[in-house]
Amino acid sequence: MELLQQSLFIPCGEHQLHVRHIKPGVAVHGDPILMVHGAIENGRIFYTESGKGLACYLARHGYQVYVADLRGRGLSTPAIAERAGHGQHELITEDVPALQQWVAARHPGARVHWMAHSWGGVIMASTLARFPALADGIASLVFFGTKRGVSVQNPERWLKVDLIWNRLAPWLARNSGFLAARKLKMGADDEPLRYLQETIPWVKCGPWQDPHDGFAYGEAASRVAWPPLWMISAKADKVLGHPIDVRRFSTEMGSATRHTRLGLDNGNRLDYDHINMLTAPQAQEDHFPQILAWLQDPQARGCRA
């Protein structure tokens, strides 16, 4: 099926949030999907202009897909290098609510499927804990490699988390106010210093509490009527979304959850890792069809049609 892609921009305070709208080239009225990326990346984890990725796959099957660049990332303006005074608090309290409101307004009467990669799932879950009324407008949640804290101990954790994220990254960001991750080849996009400072206590498995204003997400999570949730992890993901920590976060959310670990021993074509669970060519014939089936069958998700 032919796809149509266009870049749209949503006002959010002094920011313009970029959203890549990917839809079928024919008049198909599919449910809306909102996708949010993780740390030091942007929405391109979900799509390419040539039609690859999960967003394009789902659009070919009739869905209206909206892939967000959170403030300062991707094509959103101003870029982090120009304005880096925000942290994850603003993403939780402003960006995701604005994105949900905007998508819902384009599809009156429809509920929106939320999907996220890595830390994007933490941001989305935190938004729902803070604004539980939003859950009424959400059809389902699908999170890929989403963990809030890293509990596993191995050499990759000591390098990527303890040394680079918790220590080196804030040190590199202290003069300019942001981590120039693209220039340093540490990731696909930059991050503000305050964002790093607000994520580190959570990565260290500290309380699920907002470092900016003290809001207790962990307590609030028990009052959320969580939409059907599917947590997908990968066997070869040794630290950034280790299956153990993915399960820990769903337990913390207090949601009845479907869990899938992608790997050869579970019948998949690869031992997927943190990134290629979304980018590997094999995914289009492997787990992408399962995600499509989840979207198409409300009864399979255990929810109302």
Side-chain angles (χ1 to χ4, degrees):
M1 181 185 294
E2 179 187 1
L3 296 181
L4 297 178
Q5 296 193 32
Q6 64 179 144
S7 288
L8 305 172
F9 292 87
I10 305 172
C12 188
E14 297 179 345
H15 293 263
Q16 294 284 327
L17 305 182
H18 171 252
V19 174
R20 190 71 168 181
H21 183 201
I22 307 173
K23 63 180 181 178
V26 297
V28 177
H29 300 287
D31 291 339
I33 302 171
L34 172 62
M35 295 183 169
V36 169
H37 60 83
I40 55 172
E41 64 182 28
N42 54 52
R44 294 301 293 267
I45 188 71
F46 291 110
Y47 75 96
T48 67
E49 293 182 359
S50 63
K52 298 177 183 178
L54 179 60
C56 299
Y57 175 89
L58 295 176
R60 286 194 183 90
H61 288 84
Y63 289 88
Q64 301 264 349
V65 186
Y66 299 89
V67 185
D69 288 333
L70 297 174
R71 64 178 60 190
R73 286 80 167 173
L75 297 180
S76 293
T77 60
I80 286 171
E82 300 169 11
R83 188 174 303 167
H86 61 275
Q88 71 171 0
H89 174 83
E90 287 79 5
L91 309 185
I92 294 167
T93 61
E94 298 177 26
D95 288 20
V96 174
L99 290 163
Q100 169 64 16
Q101 182 180 17
W102 182 83
V103 173
R106 292 174 65 93
H107 299 270
R111 286 176 294 134
V112 184
H113 296 277
W114 281 13
M115 296 188 181
H117 179 237
S118 195
W119 203 259
V122 178
I123 299 298
M124 280 185 146
S126 299
T127 295
L128 281 178
R130 191 153 192 148
F131 307 110
L134 288 177
D136 290 340
I138 300 169
S140 72
L141 307 171
V142 182
F143 294 164
F144 299 87
T146 292
K147 50 65 185 77
R148 188 183 72 85
V150 180
S151 67
V152 295
Q153 295 287 341
N154 56 47
E156 188 172 343
R157 177 243 165 85
W158 303 332
L159 173 63
K160 292 183 176 180
V161 177
D162 296 338
L163 177 59
I164 296 178
W165 188 259
N166 293 349
R167 296 185 181 184
L168 181 61
W171 182 81
L172 290 170
R174 65 180 180 176
N175 289 328
S176 63
F178 72 98
L179 175 67
R182 289 180 296 172
K183 181 178 180 180
L184 296 169
K185 301 188 183 303
M186 295 173 64
D189 222 314
D190 302 334
E191 291 294 357
L193 174 59
R194 214 187 95 203
Y195 177 91
L196 300 174
Q197 294 170 332
E198 291 179 3
T199 61
I200 288 171
W202 290 9
V203 170
K204 290 182 176 181
C205 298
W208 192 11
Q209 180 174 324
D210 198 308
H212 186 70
D213 68 359
F215 183 86
Y217 296 102
E219 295 178 11
S222 64
R223 299 188 290 272
V224 178
W226 291 101
L229 170 63
W230 187 3
M231 302 286 269
I232 300 176
S233 59
K235 182 179 179 180
D237 191 343
K238 300 302 183 183
V239 62
L240 298 180
H242 193 286
I244 289 176
D245 288 326
V246 169
R247 285 186 174 272
R248 286 181 71 253
F249 185 47
S250 67
T251 299
E252 191 173 28
M253 291 169 64
S255 170
T257 310
R258 174 180 177 180
H259 279 275
T260 297
R261 180 179 60 78
L262 302 173
L264 292 167
D265 56 350
N266 282 334
N268 299 112
R269 299 174 183 229
L270 291 177
D271 282 337
Y272 290 92
D273 62 29
H274 194 64
I275 299 298
N276 74 7
M277 66 166 72
L278 287 172
T279 62
Q282 293 89 337
Q284 296 201 60
E285 297 179 358
D286 205 342
H287 47 286
F288 284 7
Q290 298 175 35
I291 296 165
L292 178 64
W294 160 275
L295 296 174
Q296 292 175 334
D297 189 354
Q299 292 185 345
R301 302 194 302 267
C303 63
R304 63 190 186 277

